[in-house]
């Protein structure tokens, strides 16, 4: 009877395990395997090259530039994007007029297609006929107008800002949900004890929001490091290599150079980098909790 | 479990097995059909119409399956090749090296015997340069058995176009595009002074910038030296290559290049030119159809990129625009060959040219083409293409050259710096090959 119950349990989890194996484990093993081969993605024969692909990655300056650039975008997203998301969530959590309307509005960018967002912002930021430059000129700030996406000094920061615009809604939603779980009595008790708004925020809101902040930070890092579609649509990684990010490089190796083995090695390397970042964050979080 | 419950479970299980079994039953094959995969959104209605005509004439259904954009199509074809699921007819996008891999893997039928039937009637119906893109000659570096492995369905050339109305606005003769590079730069200065946008092109998409750089390389140093560079016998730091790279700096300095051209995709460039917001565009003959759709009243002309040197002729990229290959493992390959032969016959080619404004690959079908298209067709005399050179440059080298030109245009690097960087990558790739 006991064996039957155990078998039944396995039978129930079998479909999920099967799907997970077919769509996650097997492809992962294949990618890992391919990273040791030289293969063009078409020929049935693959040449074993050992660790050569990984050695080449270590010496590939453009790859490391792309990793650094996605790190820069992530840093902006972690600070600028999440600060805005938190402030807006905090504002919407208070008794302000039309707060439900704002909640909907702030969540529109994340649900839009990244391709559409990229194309719309490309049009807004266009140096020749973009509305941003138009309004800068109208306000007498013509000296600030430029081709935002083709200027190497502004291209990366510009795509980072657009990424923040597209992504802040997720953080907003999670922060708002977190803020709403804080019991109102704590604020009332703080007020009774003579705390002003800043003190309540510092001593009640922030400590109780730390788990949510950590969660949002992890999601922001993992999501932003893998940013791709938006940049592909807006700049294609240019001008030069100024907005290249790792996923674009992987795509370039696969599609542009037909080097599937090298692309898989880049994918594995990037995965290791993401795991390392997550692990560091886990340690920091653990230390903060302690 | 109750009897009722057991009965219900058995019914559900039975139904599930029935559905599974239905899925496993092969589709009836009583009706003959040919499947064609393509990426050409603009040609889809014309293809469907031709498929209807073919079915009415021969009783064979032809399914044209569109997968766009071309990037997605390209990945789909590779994935299908891996799974041995290629359709009867398909196109291969990419470099000649990719084409050769498909042939080596046994996915592409050698069309030579069919092309040579009846005194090479099929072969002779094409423009030689269009067919050359699908040909592998004796001693090719890819190790492919010499032969013809695809049939072109249209041809293209990539050159300059100019807006005649904006030429008038600049005080220039609208019927006389620039003949020399110096004249081209002079017009650039006028464009800058008039606060207009100069040359637009999809230089954000690597290959178009590569195309113009190669045009000028042929013009400045000649075909032999360009091919010697690809073979690794001439370095990219050679003065002639520096001269080629310097042309882009000159174009930028004179005001000839539109702002933002380095990250511009060709669709944006086409919109700007069609809406009369740019004086010049560097684009392929497919633009005739695109501009017609965007602005039917656009008054423009086409010309070869102005020569920068007199020693060698200007060469532009041209040849087969799109080609179809037959799946060598298809059960319907004989029917597929018949259909492809029919598709490239004079009548069908003339219809495609008229309906899609693309230049026909069949040389007997040029009777109906508008003036601008005629100037693109005329430029076939100056056409060449990397796919007919017999050697291919390494992809990382092409990328470094194109990204380097972007850096020159934005004033970040000098032509000498870019040449040195490209040569370094070239040497690295050559060393790997050894």
């Amino acid at each position: 009877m006991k064996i039957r119950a155990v078998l039944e349990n396995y039978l129930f989890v079998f479909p999920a395990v099967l799907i997970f194996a077919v769509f996650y484990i097997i492809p992962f093993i294949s990618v890992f395997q391919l990273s040791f081969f030289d293969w063009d993605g078409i020929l049935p024969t693959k040449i074993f090259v050992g660790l050569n692909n990984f050695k080449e990655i270590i010496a590939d300056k453009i790859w490391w530039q792309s990793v650094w650039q996605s790190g820069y975008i992530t840093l902006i997203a972690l600070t600028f994007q999440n600060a805005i998301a938190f402030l807006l969530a905090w504002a919407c959590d208070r008794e302000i007029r039309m707060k439900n309307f704002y909640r909907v509005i702030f969540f529109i960018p994340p649900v839009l297609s990244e391709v559409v967002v990229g194309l719309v912002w490309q049009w807004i930021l266009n140096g020749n006929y973009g509305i941003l430059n138009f309004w800068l000129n109208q306000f007498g700030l013509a000296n600030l107008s430029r081709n935002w996406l083709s200027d190497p000094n502004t291209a990366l920061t510009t795509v980072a800002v657009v990424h923040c615009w597209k992504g802040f809604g997720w953080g907003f939603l999670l922060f708002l949900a977190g803020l709403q779980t804080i019991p109102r009595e704590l604020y009332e008790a703080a007020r009774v004890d003579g705390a002003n708004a800043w003190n309540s925020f510092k001593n009640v809101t922030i400590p109780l929001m730390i788990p949510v902040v950590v969660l949002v930070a992890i999601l922001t890092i993992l999501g932003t490091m893998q940013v791709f579609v938006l940049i592909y649509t807006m700049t294609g990684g240019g001008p030069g290599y100024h907005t290249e990010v790792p996923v674009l490089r992987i795509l370039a190796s696969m599609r542009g150079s037909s080097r599937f083995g090298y692309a898989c090695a880049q994918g594995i390397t990037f995965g290791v980098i993401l795991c390392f970042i997550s692990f560091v964050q886990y340690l920091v979080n653990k230390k903060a909790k302690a | 479990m109750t009897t009722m419950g057991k009965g219900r479970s058995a019914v559900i299980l039975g139904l599930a097995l029935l559905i599974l079994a239905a899925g496993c039953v092969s589709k009836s094959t009583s009706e003959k059909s040919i499947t064609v995969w393509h990426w050409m959104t603009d040609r889809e209605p014309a293809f469907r119409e031709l498929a209807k005509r073919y079915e009415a004439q021969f009783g064979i259904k032809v399914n044209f399956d569109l997968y766009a954009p071309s990037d997605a199509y390209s990945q789909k074809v590779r994935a299908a090749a891996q799974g041995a699921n290629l359709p009867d007819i398909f196109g291969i996008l990419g470099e000649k090296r990719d084409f050769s891999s498909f042939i080596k893997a046994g996915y592409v039928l050698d069309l030579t015997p069919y092309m040579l039937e009846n005194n090479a009637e099929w072969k002779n119906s094409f423009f030689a340069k269009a067919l050359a893109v699908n040909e592998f000659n004796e001693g090719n570096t890819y190790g492919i058995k010499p032969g013809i492995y695809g049939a072109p369905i249209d041809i293209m050339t990539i050159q300059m176009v100019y807006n005649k109305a904006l030429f008038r606005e600049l005080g220039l003769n609208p019927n006389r595009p620039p003949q020399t590079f110096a004249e081209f730069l002079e017009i650039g200065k006028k464009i800058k002074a008039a606060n207009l946008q100069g040359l637009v092109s999809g230089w954000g998409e690597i290959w178009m910038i590569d195309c113009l750089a190669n045009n000028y390389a042929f013009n400045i140093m000649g075909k032999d030296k360009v091919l010697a560079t690809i073979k690794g016998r001439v370095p990219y730091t050679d003065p002639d290559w520096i001269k080629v790279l310097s042309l882009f700096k000159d174009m930028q300095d004179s005001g000839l290049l539109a702002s933002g051209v380095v990250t511009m995709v060709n669709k944006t460039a086409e919109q700007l030119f069609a809406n009369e917001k740019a004086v010049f565009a560097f684009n392929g003959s497919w633009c005739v159809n695109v501009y017609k759709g965007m602005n039917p009243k656009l008054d423009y002309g086409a010309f070869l990129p102005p020569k920068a040197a007199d020693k060698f002729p200007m060469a532009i990229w041209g040849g087969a625009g799109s080609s179809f290959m037959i799946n060598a493992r298809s059960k319907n390959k004989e029917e597929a060959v018949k259909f492809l032969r029919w598709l490239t016959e004079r009548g069908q080619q003339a219809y495609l040219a008229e309906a899609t404004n693309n230049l026909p690959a069949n040389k007997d079908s040029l009777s109906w083409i508008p003036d601008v298209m005629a100037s693109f067709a005329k430029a076939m005399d100056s056409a060449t293409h990397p796919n007919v050179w017999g050697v291919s440059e390494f992809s990382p080298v092409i990328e470094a050259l194109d990204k380097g030109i972007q850096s020159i245009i934005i004033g970040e690097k000098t032509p000498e710096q870019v040449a040195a960087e490209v040569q370094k990558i070239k040497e690295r790739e050559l060393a790997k090959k050894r």
Side-chain angles (χ1 to χ4, degrees):
Chain A
M1 198 64 189
K2 201 179 172 186
I3 294 170
R4 196 182 161 184
V6 170
L7 280 175
E8 256 178 26
N9 289 344
Y10 277 116
L11 195 69
F12 279 119
V13 294
F14 178 72
V17 171
L18 185 74
I19 289 169
F20 186 72
V22 169
F23 294 105
Y24 288 88
I25 297 173
I26 296 173
F28 176 77
I29 293 168
S30 297
V31 167
F32 189 72
Q33 239 178 351
L34 277 175
S35 66
F36 299 103
F37 287 87
D38 190 6
W39 183 47
D40 70 355
I42 306 164
L43 283 171
T45 50
K46 303 173 183 92
I47 303 162
F48 182 75
V49 291
L51 290 170
N52 280 2
N53 286 332
F54 292 96
K55 279 183 197 161
E56 199 179 325
I57 287 170
I58 291 168
D60 186 346
K61 281 184 193 166
I62 307 298
W63 165 257
W64 294 110
Q65 182 183 342
S66 75
V67 173
W68 185 90
Q69 280 164 185
S70 70
Y72 174 80
I73 299 172
T74 304
L75 193 70
I76 292 185
L78 266 179
T79 51
F80 177 66
Q81 174 188 309
N82 288 347
I84 288 183
F86 190 90
L87 285 175
L88 291 174
W90 184 65
C92 282
D93 186 47
R94 297 160 71 89
E95 290 307 312
I96 58 165
R97 285 175 66 189
M98 294 167 72
K99 65 178 181 184
N100 288 333
F101 171 74
Y102 291 127
R103 283 176 194 183
V104 173
I105 290 292
F106 295 151
F107 200 61
I108 287 176
V111 295
L112 293 175
S113 146
E114 282 197 76
V115 174
V116 172
V117 169
L119 291 174
V120 169
W121 275 97
Q122 199 188 42
W123 173 70
I124 291 170
L125 298 163
N126 189 286
N128 306 318
Y129 54 89
I131 53 166
L132 178 65
N133 281 352
F134 172 79
W135 285 110
L136 285 173
N137 291 337
Q138 293 294 307
F139 286 112
L141 299 166
N143 57 325
L144 289 179
S145 70
R146 65 194 62 229
N147 207 317
W148 298 92
L149 296 171
S150 300
D151 185 335
N153 299 313
T154 55
L156 187 62
T157 307
T158 306
V159 293
V161 170
V162 175
H163 172 76
C164 291
W165 179 85
K166 169 86 176 76
F168 84 92
W170 288 113
F172 165 80
L173 205 69
L174 292 169
F175 284 134
L176 187 63
L179 287 167
Q180 286 177 343
T181 60
I182 299 175
R184 301 288 137 174
E185 295 81 19
L186 290 177
Y187 290 107
E188 279 162 27
R191 206 179 307 128
V192 169
D193 287 343
N196 58 20
W198 168 244
N199 286 332
S200 295
F201 181 73
K202 196 176 74 176
N203 299 314
V204 178
T205 311
I206 289 184
L208 292 173
M209 282 297 286
I210 281 178
V212 183
V213 171
V214 170
L215 175 75
V216 172
I218 291 172
L219 293 177
T220 305
I221 291 172
L222 297 181
T224 309
M225 285 297 281
Q226 295 177 71
V227 61
F228 155 62
V229 180
L230 207 58
I231 296 179
Y232 183 70
T233 323
M234 289 172 78
T235 64
Y241 296 102
H242 287 282
T243 56
E244 287 282 356
V245 285
V247 184
L248 268 181
R249 295 310 302 159
I250 293 170
L251 194 73
S253 302
M254 216 170 218
R255 214 187 50 199
S257 313
S258 296
R259 298 184 65 199
F260 276 61
Y262 187 66
C264 289
Q266 284 178 315
I268 296 285
T269 310
F270 190 48
V272 169
I273 292 170
L274 292 182
C275 286
F276 176 74
I277 292 171
S278 303
F279 183 67
V280 169
Q281 204 163 24
Y282 165 76
L283 289 182
V284 170
N285 184 29
K286 208 172 155 187
K287 205 175 171 187
K289 271 184 184 170
Chain B
M1 201 183 274
T2 61
T3 318
M4 185 79 163
K6 275 182 186 167
R8 201 177 293 152
S9 298
V11 168
I12 291 168
L13 191 71
L15 275 173
L17 286 172
L18 207 65
I19 291 165
L20 268 173
C24 294
V25 172
S26 66
K27 206 176 149 185
S28 163
T29 50
S30 59
E31 186 189 309
K32 254 196 178 158
S33 68
I34 299 168
T35 304
V36 187
W37 283 4
H38 76 105
W39 65 96
M40 297 163 266
T41 324
D42 62 326
R43 273 158 266 191
E44 174 72 359
F47 281 152
R48 286 191 185 280
E49 173 56 31
L50 286 172
K52 262 189 221 165
R53 290 182 191 181
Y54 191 76
E55 191 178 0
Q57 212 174 329
F58 300 99
I60 294 176
K61 192 174 166 59
V62 181
N63 302 306
F64 275 96
D65 294 344
L66 171 69
Y67 299 99
S70 52
D71 287 350
Y73 170 82
S74 194
Q75 292 309 315
K76 178 153 182 78
V77 167
R78 277 169 190 264
Q82 285 304 310
N85 290 322
L86 281 168
D88 305 309
I89 301 176
F90 60 101
I92 297 169
L93 298 174
E95 294 172 24
K96 193 100 173 187
R97 197 183 288 122
D98 299 324
F99 188 10
S100 70
S101 291
F102 273 93
I103 298 169
K104 277 182 200 163
Y107 300 129
V108 183
L109 184 70
D110 182 359
L111 294 178
T112 317
Y114 305 97
M115 288 274 177
L116 296 179
E117 277 172 9
N118 303 325
N119 292 326
E121 189 189 2
W122 194 16
K123 184 185 175 189
N124 291 336
S125 67
F126 295 111
F127 283 101
K129 283 186 179 175
L131 201 61
V133 172
N134 299 310
E135 259 180 306
F136 284 82
N137 296 324
E138 195 73 49
N140 64 81
T141 55
Y142 307 98
I144 300 291
K145 182 188 148 206
I148 301 164
Y149 290 87
I153 56 157
D154 55 41
I155 56 170
M156 63 90 195
T157 54
I158 300 173
Q159 50 180 325
M160 295 280 176
V161 287
Y162 69 104
N163 183 311
K164 291 186 176 179
L166 291 178
F167 251 51
R168 277 185 212 104
E169 209 177 303
L170 290 166
L172 300 164
N173 180 351
N175 296 316
R176 193 187 177 280
Q179 309 295 309
T180 64
F181 198 73
E183 271 182 46
F184 202 27
L185 296 182
E186 277 307 310
I187 296 175
K189 286 175 193 162
K190 286 188 179 172
I191 289 169
K192 196 177 184 178
N195 208 16
L196 288 171
Q197 290 299 321
L199 174 68
V200 290
S201 188
W203 287 359
E205 299 162 33
I206 297 291
W207 71 273
M208 282 199 96
I209 211 167
D210 186 48
C211 174
L212 189 62
N214 270 289
N215 293 172
Y216 278 112
F218 269 71
N219 175 227
I220 288 172
M221 64 188 92
K223 184 183 177 183
D224 292 343
K225 197 167 176 180
V226 173
L227 298 191
T229 311
I230 296 173
K231 287 172 189 163
R233 292 175 198 151
V234 171
Y236 278 97
T237 45
D238 184 274
D240 279 344
W241 275 105
I242 308 266
K243 217 180 280 178
V244 171
L245 295 172
S246 301
L247 295 178
F248 289 89
K249 185 180 183 305
D250 295 342
M251 282 194 264
Q252 174 66 9
D253 292 347
S254 72
L256 193 61
L257 301 182
S259 159
V261 72
V262 287
T263 50
M264 200 176 276
V265 290
N266 209 37
K267 193 48 77 186
T268 307
E270 284 169 344
Q271 279 164 353
L272 283 169
F273 188 78
N275 293 319
E276 314 214 31
K277 287 185 173 155
V279 181
F280 295 108
F282 181 63
N283 209 352
S285 48
W286 61 82
C287 71
V288 177
N289 197 33
V290 176
Y291 296 151
K292 193 182 166 194
M294 288 176 175
N295 181 5
K297 288 180 183 168
L298 185 69
D299 186 12
Y300 65 104
F303 65 105
L304 290 179
K307 283 171 82 172
D310 290 323
K311 201 173 167 189
F312 297 101
M314 173 56 74
I316 54 163
W317 280 14
S322 317
S323 297
F324 278 139
M325 289 81 195
I326 309 273
N327 181 358
R329 300 175 186 189
S330 162
K331 280 186 278 180
N332 301 322
K333 61 186 169 213
E334 290 303 322
E335 283 81 9
V337 171
K338 270 181 210 154
F339 172 71
L340 196 52
R341 192 197 295 261
W342 179 85
L343 188 67
T344 53
E345 277 172 9
R346 189 178 169 180
Q348 287 67 252
Q349 284 279 293
Y351 170 75
L352 267 177
E354 192 175 350
T356 68
N357 283 298
N358 282 290
L359 290 166
N362 185 314
K363 60 190 178 196
D364 301 326
S365 312
L366 277 175
S367 52
W368 183 92
I369 51 167
D371 288 348
V372 182
M373 265 175 84
S375 42
F376 274 104
K378 209 174 131 193
M380 272 303 275
D381 296 337
S382 309
T384 183
H385 195 275
N387 285 357
V388 300
W389 297 345
V391 283
S392 300
E393 185 53 281
F394 299 109
S395 300
V397 176
I398 296 174
E399 189 194 59
L401 183 73
D402 301 343
K403 290 275 188 182
I405 293 172
Q406 287 188 355
S407 302
I408 293 169
I409 293 170
I410 59 178
E412 196 179 39
K413 286 175 188 167
T414 63
E416 290 78 8
Q417 277 175 313
V418 170
E421 283 174 12
V422 174
Q423 183 56 26
K424 207 174 154 187
I425 292 169
K426 176 81 184 182
E427 280 162 16
R428 187 192 73 193
E429 294 300 315
L430 283 171
K432 263 167 46 185
K433 203 181 167 192
R434 277 183 219 122

